Amino acid sequence: MAKQYDGPALGLTRANTEDEIRQRVFEAIHDTGYMIFCTIGLDGVTPTNRGLEVHYLDDTGDLFIGLCPGKPVYRELKKNPRISGGLVVKVKSDSRLTYGIRLNAIAEEVFDEKIMARYWELNRGTAALYRRALDNFTIFRLTQGEGEIMDVYENDALLRFRFGFGGTKPRPWHYEVGENCIGCGVCAEKCMTQVITVQDGKAVIDHPACLECGVCLKVCPAGAIIKNDWE
């Protein structure tokens, strides 16, 4: 039997809607204040990363980042606006209660005086640093993306929640059960987290609790497990 899910780090459950999940994840990112972001280098191949502050700057609920146009990351985003962020937060020092967040988005440069003024209001230290040339700073809105939170519970069980925003669909689950499943139960027997069951003669994967390790694909005698690619 699969583990029970006691004490989720962010309070999310299977009953939450996709929009509720996105909102709670964005709040967690905002509350943390920083996120490690990766971009594609100017050579178009090499990944680069840096820590950037994350803000709400208007009433849309979107996330914003600010940076200096003189930095390499600015040129990277103007050449390729795709950005990927991640963070891991341990909620309690004496337990495994943890959550990890992944976020992929398009970074869209924003030219808006109100948004810029709000950024300086929230970042007085940065404003002091750039006081001689406040115009040497710019803002990007994170749009058209998808994300995921892996919520590790008190007893080391986990649930994974996915969401899309800005018209982008959530990333599909990596493994699905195809029509040629014979209901033999081998995948359920070998599943490391015991999240596969056989129902009405067909294997069913409990996707939010799945590690996506691929054991089911390896052991299925009927070749019924389908691996979804994501771009």
Side-chain angles (χ1 to χ4, degrees):
M1 179 180 293
K3 294 180 180 179
Q4 297 300 307
Y5 306 100
D6 302 321
L10 285 186
L12 292 169
T13 72
R14 299 167 189 274
N16 288 106
T17 66
E18 183 182 333
D19 190 60
E20 289 171 341
I21 294 168
R22 178 204 60 77
Q23 183 177 6
R24 187 66 193 93
V25 170
F26 276 22
E27 288 173 357
I29 295 172
H30 177 262
D31 291 345
T32 303
Y34 286 86
M35 197 171 198
I36 301 299
F37 286 101
C38 295
T39 57
I40 299 299
L42 294 175
D43 62 3
V45 177
T46 307
T48 67
N49 69 79
R50 75 281 300 153
L52 296 172
E53 288 185 274
V54 184
H55 293 284
Y56 290 141
L57 298 177
D58 60 15
D59 58 2
T60 61
D62 292 339
L63 297 176
F64 293 82
I65 56 175
L67 53 92
C68 172
K71 293 182 177 293
V73 62
Y74 178 83
R75 294 175 60 201
E76 291 165 3
L77 287 175
K78 296 303 288 185
K79 183 176 181 179
N80 185 340
R82 294 183 180 276
I83 192 169
S84 181
L87 61 82
V88 176
V89 176
K90 189 168 186 178
V91 180
K92 294 181 179 180
S93 61
D94 60 347
S95 80
R96 292 277 293 165
L97 192 61
T98 309
Y99 62 85
I101 292 174
R102 172 188 58 76
L103 187 72
N104 292 314
I106 298 297
E108 180 181 282
E109 191 169 12
V110 176
F111 303 95
D112 186 301
E113 292 183 0
K114 290 184 178 179
I115 286 178
M116 193 74 252
R118 179 59 177 160
Y119 185 88
W120 293 133
E121 180 183 344
L122 293 173
N123 296 273
R124 298 190 182 279
T126 306
L129 183 66
Y130 283 87
R131 64 186 180 280
R132 291 195 176 105
L134 289 179
D135 58 343
N136 190 31
F137 206 84
T138 192
I139 302 295
F140 284 83
R141 183 194 302 266
L142 303 187
T143 67
Q144 302 174 45
E146 58 84 30
E148 173 181 281
I149 176 169
M150 180 176 284
D151 209 349
V152 180
Y153 287 49
E154 288 279 18
N155 58 358
D156 286 351
L158 64 87
L159 284 182
R160 186 195 309 261
F161 301 98
R162 291 178 176 170
F163 61 92
F165 59 97
T168 300
K169 294 181 179 180
R171 181 179 296 194
W173 301 112
H174 201 44
Y175 297 101
E176 301 278 359
V177 180
E179 292 299 322
N180 55 333
C181 174
I182 59 176
C184 65
V186 172
C187 59
E189 179 184 350
K190 298 295 185 179
C191 178
M192 292 197 302
T193 49
Q194 298 177 292
V195 299
I196 302 178
T197 56
V198 178
Q199 301 176 20
D200 298 324
K202 183 177 180 179
V204 176
I205 301 173
D206 180 13
H207 286 112
C210 175
L211 285 176
E212 297 190 327
C213 65
V215 167
C216 56
L217 177 69
K218 292 181 180 180
V219 303
C220 178
I225 304 298
I226 300 169
K227 181 165 62 174
N228 291 317
D229 291 325
W230 179 83
E231 298 180 357

